[in-house]
């Protein structure tokens, strides 16, 4: 029997896994790493992903993983030039909506939508990005009442520091937000899941004293927003800045504020600790990326999974990467 954590698909380089359960099967929507030859830089210019695949399986610990192939290519998206970064998928009324991030021809990241009739695609993109969208790393969370929320944002290469109050600045200000922390954003989606139904709001994370985390706090938000629900509470998890911890905070509603709880996972090899959390067949799982031991090229990553556990108070027990 295979012991977790498990590399799910080491034969190809995939990262930023968004795991979802559709029709009793587990689907993972990753970004697709490849060695483009671009020089390494702190803004992620060497991450030149061109397409998305989807993986599926029915037995997380031992089952065969199926790669359904390309579900969307950058050449199919009229407004996007390059860098098809993180994505996520949500179902509504029998349709599947892929929300993804990519750079336009002016070098600016936006979020786009593509639609399919089945979880494995193919997905047909909308001609234009979501109005008022910016930055990267979308997570689409469907609440119990059917409302769908999009969480997004990433600093440095993710360009979140280019915006204030949802408006683009005339010039980039402090990339790390050292004077003011830069929070993730959240917006409820329209009923057709094609646009924001409201102006994005900041996702505020509080410390144990009820004060917002400071910009120099090692547990502040950097990128990789993810939302899941456990015992009626909202769990917002994310990757931190230079420390690259995977952290989480808990709130009473989709907008927060969320109170910081702790670290789920220490940094992996290969940029930020990008992840997703999902329940499947009565078990909770943490999906993330890491570099296989034989690979020291940190922008060529592979999808990994291991079980996740909660204590009696609903706190997530820290997991050990192996």
């Amino acid at each position: 029997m295979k012991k977790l954590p498990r590399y799910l698909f080491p034969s190809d380089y995939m990262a930023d896994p968004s795991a979802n359960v559709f029709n009793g099967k587990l689907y993972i929507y990753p970004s697709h790493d490849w060695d483009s030859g671009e020089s390494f830089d702190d803004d992620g210019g060497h991450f030149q992903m061109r397409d998305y695949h989807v993986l599926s399986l029915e037995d997380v610990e031992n089952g065969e993983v199926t790669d359904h192939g390309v579900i969307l290519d950058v050449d199919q998206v009229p407004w996007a030039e390059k860098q098809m970064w993180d994505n996520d998928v949500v179902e509504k009324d029998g349709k599947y909506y892929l929300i993804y991030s990519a750079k336009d021809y002016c070098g600016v990241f936006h979020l786009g939508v593509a639609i399919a009739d089945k979880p494995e695609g193919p997905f047909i993109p909308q001609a234009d990005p979501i109005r008022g969208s910016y930055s990267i790393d979308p997570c689409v969370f469907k609440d119990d009442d059917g409302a769908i929320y999009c969480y997004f944002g990433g600093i440095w290469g993710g360009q979140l520091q280019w915006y204030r109050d949802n408006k683009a600045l005339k010039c980039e200000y402090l990339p790390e937000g050292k004077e003011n922390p830069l929070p993730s954003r959240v917006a409820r989606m329209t009923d057709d899941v094609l646009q924001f139904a409201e102006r994005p709001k900041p996702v505020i994370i509080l410390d144990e004293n009820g004060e917002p985390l400071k910009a120099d706090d090692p547990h502040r938000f950097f990128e990789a927003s993810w939302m899941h629900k456990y015992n009626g509470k909202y769990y917002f998890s994310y990757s931190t800045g230079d420390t690259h911890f995977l952290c989480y905070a808990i709130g009473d509603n989709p907008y927060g504020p969320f109170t910081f709880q702790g670290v789920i996972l220490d940094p992996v090899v290969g940029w930020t600790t990008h992840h997703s959390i999902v329940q499947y067949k009565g078990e909770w799982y943490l999906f993330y990326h890491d570099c296989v031991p034989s690979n020291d090229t940190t922008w060529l990553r592979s999808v990994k999974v291991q079980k996740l556990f909660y204590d009696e108070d609903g706190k997530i027990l820290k997991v050990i990467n192996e």
Side-chain angles (χ1 to χ4, degrees):
M1 179 173 288
K2 179 68 177 179
K3 178 186 175 183
L4 296 181
R6 173 192 181 190
Y7 279 105
L8 280 180
F9 203 75
S11 62
D12 199 354
Y13 298 118
M14 299 186 184
D16 311 324
S18 297
N20 292 278
V21 178
F22 299 128
N23 307 321
K25 184 181 290 188
L26 188 61
Y27 291 88
I28 300 100
Y29 299 87
S31 58
H32 191 192
D33 284 353
W34 64 291
D35 196 347
S36 66
E38 294 286 339
S39 299
F40 176 93
D41 64 57
D42 281 341
D43 283 335
H46 49 297
F47 290 115
Q48 291 290 327
M49 297 83 145
R50 292 191 46 84
D51 58 34
Y52 297 121
H53 287 226
V54 59
L55 309 175
S56 70
L57 70 163
E58 296 185 48
D59 180 348
V60 177
E61 297 194 42
N62 304 289
E64 180 180 355
V65 179
T66 300
D67 177 8
H68 296 274
V70 175
I71 59 173
L72 183 66
D73 186 280
V74 68
D75 290 340
Q76 298 173 261
V77 183
W79 62 268
E81 180 188 20
K82 59 183 180 180
Q83 289 182 289
M84 303 280 275
W85 283 14
D86 184 39
N87 71 95
D88 193 14
V89 171
V90 67
E91 179 275 337
K92 183 172 183 185
D93 298 331
K95 296 285 188 180
Y96 298 86
Y97 297 83
L98 174 75
I99 313 296
Y100 61 95
S101 51
K103 270 186 182 175
D104 67 12
Y105 286 86
C106 293
V108 178
F109 272 113
H110 296 286
L111 305 183
V113 182
I115 308 171
D117 293 323
K118 51 187 180 179
E120 57 269 31
F123 287 81
I124 307 303
Q126 298 292 293
D128 299 297
I130 296 173
R131 291 189 296 273
S133 70
Y134 52 93
S135 199
I136 61 169
D137 289 0
C139 160
V140 275
F141 167 72
K142 187 177 184 180
D143 208 349
D144 298 335
D145 62 1
I148 295 171
Y149 300 87
C150 181
Y151 298 81
F152 65 94
I155 307 173
W156 289 3
Q159 302 177 349
L160 189 60
Q161 69 277 4
W162 290 11
Y163 298 84
R164 185 176 292 157
D165 299 327
N166 298 315
K167 295 180 180 178
L169 301 169
K170 292 182 178 179
C171 61
E172 179 178 348
Y173 76 99
L174 297 174
E176 291 188 87
K178 289 184 177 178
E179 291 183 352
N180 298 295
L182 297 174
S184 175
R185 305 288 195 269
V186 58
R188 183 171 54 83
M189 301 294 292
T190 53
D191 288 341
D192 60 8
V193 203
L194 298 180
Q195 301 291 340
F196 293 156
E198 59 190 4
R199 292 170 59 82
K201 300 174 172 61
V203 179
I204 304 300
I205 302 171
L206 307 176
D207 63 20
E208 60 183 6
N209 299 315
E211 297 294 326
L213 291 186
K214 302 292 192 297
D216 58 356
D217 191 300
H219 303 121
R220 68 169 175 84
F221 171 80
F222 182 79
E223 66 178 30
S225 304
W226 186 260
M227 174 60 66
H228 77 279
K229 207 169 181 179
Y230 179 79
N231 284 351
K233 295 289 187 179
Y234 297 82
Y235 285 62
F236 177 73
S237 47
Y238 58 95
S239 181
T240 63
D242 293 337
T243 51
H244 297 323
F245 294 125
L246 176 57
C247 296
Y248 78 107
I250 298 178
D252 294 321
N253 65 78
Y255 295 106
F258 300 91
T259 301
F260 177 79
Q261 300 294 314
V263 175
I264 301 174
L265 180 69
D266 285 336
V268 299
V269 176
W271 217 250
T272 51
T273 311
H274 205 122
H275 71 296
S276 57
I277 296 170
V278 70
Q279 187 180 30
Y280 183 61
K281 295 185 176 180
E283 303 281 359
W284 284 92
Y285 293 97
L286 171 67
F287 293 82
Y288 56 104
H289 61 231
D290 201 357
C291 288
V292 295
S294 61
N295 173 34
D296 59 0
T297 305
T298 58
W299 55 91
L300 297 177
R301 302 157 295 178
S302 295
V303 174
K304 219 170 185 179
V305 62
Q306 65 172 297
K307 282 186 176 179
L308 197 68
F309 298 93
Y310 303 79
D311 69 14
E312 58 185 12
D313 296 321
K315 288 187 174 292
I316 298 176
L317 303 181
K318 185 177 179 180
V319 298
I320 305 299
N321 187 36
E322 297 176 349

